[in-house]
Every structure is written in structure tokens, then in C-alpha cells.
Amino acid sequence: MFPLAPFFTIKVIQQYEKAVIFRLGKIRKGGAAGPGLFTFLPCLDDIHVVDMRTVSFDVPPQEILTKDSVTVTVDAVVYFRISYAVFCLKKNDLSCIFYH
């Protein structure tokens, strides 16, 4: 194990994050890693860290005119959360929030 030690790198992932590790372009066995410590090979692995927290954003209010000429204001708040980090990156869904 000692001769291979310089090739491994240790990374820390926060409690609200998951790391999806791609080895040579394919998802590594075991799915998403984290939270906590994990090891990876920097030359072969590409790491994508996915934020698993609930995200909310406001939809701007819009005024609507009904058939009987009454103006109604509609306002909304959207909440979403990622359940499975691997599926989020596997399907190339750009709605998930991730960073390198």
C-alpha cells in the first residue's frame, strides 16, 4: 500500500453534499460518496459534488385578467430537492445544482 499512497487523494464532503465519482467516464461502483472522507485517484477520477439541500425560489407575481374582467394576482414559491445524486448526473439533467 505504501508505494501507491502518493497516487491517492483524500477529499472531505460536507454533510449536505454527495460526491459522484466518474472513473474514466463511467460512474464508480457504490454510487455517490459522502458525506465525510473518501479517496480517489486524481489522474483517473472526475468528481462532481451535488448539493442535496432543499432549494427554494420565488416565481414573480403575475396579473391575470379573467373572463369577467377581474384582475387576479398570482404568486408562487417553488421548492425542490435532489433525492439521488447519481441519477441527477447520469441523465444529464441541468435542473440539478452541481459544481466541480
Side-chain angles (χ1 to χ4, degrees):
M1 181 77 181
F2 180 72
L4 295 177
F7 300 111
F8 287 99
T9 305
I10 297 175
K11 182 148 175 106
V12 178
I13 296 296
Q14 298 295 326
Q15 188 69 29
Y16 53 85
E17 296 173 334
K18 293 275 188 172
V20 180
I21 303 170
F22 291 92
R23 178 161 291 162
L24 299 174
K26 296 191 178 196
I27 296 175
R28 199 168 85 176
K29 290 182 181 178
L37 293 171
F38 66 93
T39 59
F40 67 97
L41 297 169
C43 298
L44 299 177
D45 294 342
D46 187 24
I47 299 173
H48 294 275
V49 180
V50 180
D51 191 354
M52 303 294 286
R53 293 181 285 189
T54 302
V55 178
S56 65
F57 60 91
D58 292 328
V59 177
Q62 299 181 8
E63 292 187 0
I64 300 171
L65 187 62
T66 61
K67 285 184 180 181
D68 55 351
S69 298
V70 176
T71 304
V72 178
T73 303
V74 178
D75 192 13
V77 177
V78 177
Y79 296 96
F80 69 93
R81 182 176 64 116
I82 298 170
S83 299
Y84 301 104
V86 175
F87 294 144
C88 176
L89 294 175
K90 192 174 186 179
K91 294 182 180 182
N92 294 327
D93 186 9
L94 296 177
S95 65
C96 70
I97 297 173
F98 65 93
Y99 58 92
H100 288 29

